[in-house]
Each structure stands twice: as C-alpha cells, then as structure tokens.
Amino acid sequence: MAINLVTKFLPHVDEIFATESKIGLLTNQEFDWTGAHSVKIYKVTTSPMNDYDRAGTGLTASRYGDVASLGATTEEFILAKDRSFTFAIDKLDQDETAQTLQAATALARQTKTVIIPEVDAHVYGKMCTGAGTKPAALALTAANIYDQIIAAGKELDNAEVPETGRYLIFNPDTYVLMKKSTDIIMDTEISNEERIKGVIGMIDGAKVFKVPAGRLPAKFGFLMGHPIATVAPTKLEEMKIHPDPPGISGSLVEGRVVYDAFVLENKAKALYYQAIV
C-alpha cells in the first residue's frame, strides 16, 4: 500500500548573501544636489611666486612683480543614472507562502541584493576610470604586491594628497596575495566602529577594505585613494508600497534611484588604480 508522507514547509527564506556598501566611506559627501540635477564647481588658478623688487627697478609700478589675473573655469556634473523597478505580490501568494512573501521584506531584499550592488559597481568603475594615476597592467603576486602598494603611496605623497583618510581597496583574490606577502604587516588594531563599517586593517596609514569582485571592474588589482577625489551623490531614493492598488489584489512595490559618480579633475591624482593582466 502506498503511503504519502507529510511534507512540511518552514516559514524561512533561503536569502541571498549581500555585502553592505562602503561607498559612503570612500567618497566626498560635501556637495549638495538638493533642488538641482547638475552642479557646477569652480576651478580657480593661482599666481606664481616672484622675487620682490625692493629697489623698485622693475618695468612695472609693482615691486611685487607683474600683476597676474586668476582664471576661474567650471566643471559641470550632471546625474546620468535614473533607475527604477517594480513588482507585485499577490495577496493569495503571500498567504500561501506562510507570510514569507511580503512587500516590506521583498523591498529590503531588493535594496540589499540589487540596488546597492548596482550603485557600487557604477561608482567603483568611475573611480578606476577617472584615477589620475594608472600604471601599466601587471601580474600581481605575493612577492611584488607590497612594492606596488608602496609605489601607489609614493605617487599620492608626491601629489600632496592628505595622508589622513587614505584607503586601499582589494578584491578577494588580491587580498589573498596581500595576506601571503611576507613583507606586509597589516595593523589590525582598529576600533570596533571601523570594523563594523568594513575596515579590516591598516597598511602604511591607509584603511584596508575588501570588496566583492562582482562590484569591481574586470582585471582589478587594487585601488589606493582618498575620499576627496570622488563625488557620489544619490539625488533621489524613493521606495513605495501600494496596498491593493487598482487592478491588483495584493501589494504593488515601486522604486526609483537617481545617482551617479564623478572624479574631480583637480583631485584625480588622489586615486591610484593598478590593473592586472
């Protein structure tokens, strides 16, 4: 005699792993896009130093040298990413999945596993493309990775990039190389607050972050930089849940995100991108 065994479905969801975004720690948050779709930033030139003409023997009336005019040009940033999504959850589907299929939890899942990775990938791509220093691609190994990190730090030093606040970004593969290097001694004595935000240590004064490879450009080696170089505004982030809208028995979820990323021209040297072959 055939026996039909009981199948029990538990009210749990096999969630997708997702890493929190670190973009807020790596970019410049000082610009305000409120009430505007674009922002213009002035770039003002400087005046050269002269030898003071104490005796007044120069050709001009000024003993300070020729009076120079300062230039003031602008660079304009226009947000190009206007993205959206929508999905519906039928009321009966919600009831018959032990309430696991709910609008609020689905929206949180959409944000964590779809929106954040997309925004991150766009921002990291802009940072790598706009980096002021991009040496030739090479094969990184445990034997040479520390030398390349030192070279990156030297470039930032020569460009007079602030030493406080620098960061180093690795993907899991290059992070393994770094861990295998006998030359690297990573300072792991960091605060619990920084650890929660994603900092895993310090190398030569730079905070170390590990970012999933899927959010970084292909052939990514590492990126050393400073937050002053990149502006990553989110102009609009709107999420809505409509219960029982016309035409749907259930919930309609809609979302819109307007964002972009820009590397400031005068700050591009604060980014050093090393690609791999």
Side-chain angles (χ1 to χ4, degrees):
M1 180 173 95
I3 299 176
N4 293 322
L5 300 179
V6 173
T7 300
K8 182 176 182 180
F9 290 92
L10 298 177
H12 298 290
V13 179
D14 185 12
E15 293 287 8
I16 301 172
F17 289 121
T19 305
E20 295 294 336
S21 177
K22 303 174 179 67
I23 291 299
L25 301 174
L26 308 175
T27 58
N28 188 338
Q29 304 296 313
E30 296 180 358
F31 295 89
D32 184 11
W33 255 260
T34 303
H37 195 66
S38 66
V39 169
K40 288 186 177 181
I41 300 173
Y42 276 103
K43 297 184 294 181
V44 181
T45 60
T46 56
S47 176
M49 296 294 289
N50 306 299
D51 291 327
Y52 182 76
D53 185 10
R54 185 174 180 181
T57 57
L59 299 176
T60 66
S62 173
R63 299 188 180 191
Y64 292 88
D66 294 337
V67 180
S69 296
L70 298 184
T73 59
T74 61
E75 52 183 322
E76 183 176 13
F77 303 117
I78 301 174
L79 299 180
K81 289 289 187 177
D82 191 347
R83 304 281 283 163
S84 61
F85 67 89
T86 182
F87 58 85
I89 297 179
D90 188 270
K91 191 171 294 185
L92 200 57
D93 289 340
Q94 177 175 326
D95 179 71
E96 294 178 351
T97 56
Q99 303 298 317
T100 58
L101 194 60
Q102 296 188 47
T105 54
L107 178 56
R109 187 179 303 112
Q110 174 80 11
T111 300
K112 188 174 184 179
T113 64
V114 179
I115 299 173
I116 290 177
E118 177 184 305
V119 175
D120 275 11
H122 179 72
V123 176
Y124 288 126
K126 283 292 191 77
M127 292 166 72
C128 293
T129 301
T133 305
K134 292 184 286 188
L138 53 77
L140 288 175
T141 65
N144 69 9
I145 190 168
Y146 185 61
D147 289 338
Q148 301 308 316
I149 293 172
I150 293 298
K154 183 183 71 174
E155 287 295 327
L156 266 62
D157 289 341
N158 288 333
E160 301 188 31
V161 176
E163 294 185 28
T164 303
R166 293 182 186 181
Y167 57 77
L168 263 168
I169 298 173
F170 298 98
N171 63 25
D173 290 336
T174 50
Y175 180 69
V176 168
L177 295 178
M178 187 202 73
K179 293 286 287 182
K180 289 182 177 180
S181 173
T182 56
D183 297 320
I184 294 178
I185 300 177
M186 186 165 63
D187 181 7
T188 57
E189 294 296 323
I190 57 176
S191 68
N192 188 54
E193 181 181 356
E194 289 183 315
R195 198 176 298 278
I196 292 174
K197 291 179 179 179
V199 181
I200 57 178
M202 303 275 289
I203 296 178
D204 291 335
K207 296 178 181 179
V208 177
F209 294 88
K210 183 170 56 174
V211 175
R215 302 190 190 185
L216 298 167
K219 304 296 183 181
F220 181 91
F222 68 85
L223 177 71
M224 177 180 280
H226 193 283
I228 60 173
T230 310
V231 182
T234 298
K235 167 70 178 176
L236 176 67
E237 190 171 16
E238 182 182 55
M239 312 296 173
K240 296 180 289 186
I241 299 175
H242 306 281
D244 294 321
I248 297 176
S249 174
S251 299
L252 175 67
V253 181
E254 297 174 322
R256 184 183 180 191
V257 183
V258 181
Y259 67 94
D260 213 333
F262 312 95
V263 175
L264 300 174
E265 187 175 334
N266 285 346
K267 303 291 194 304
K269 286 292 185 181
L271 291 174
Y272 182 105
Y273 173 53
Q274 178 63 65
I276 59 175
V277 292

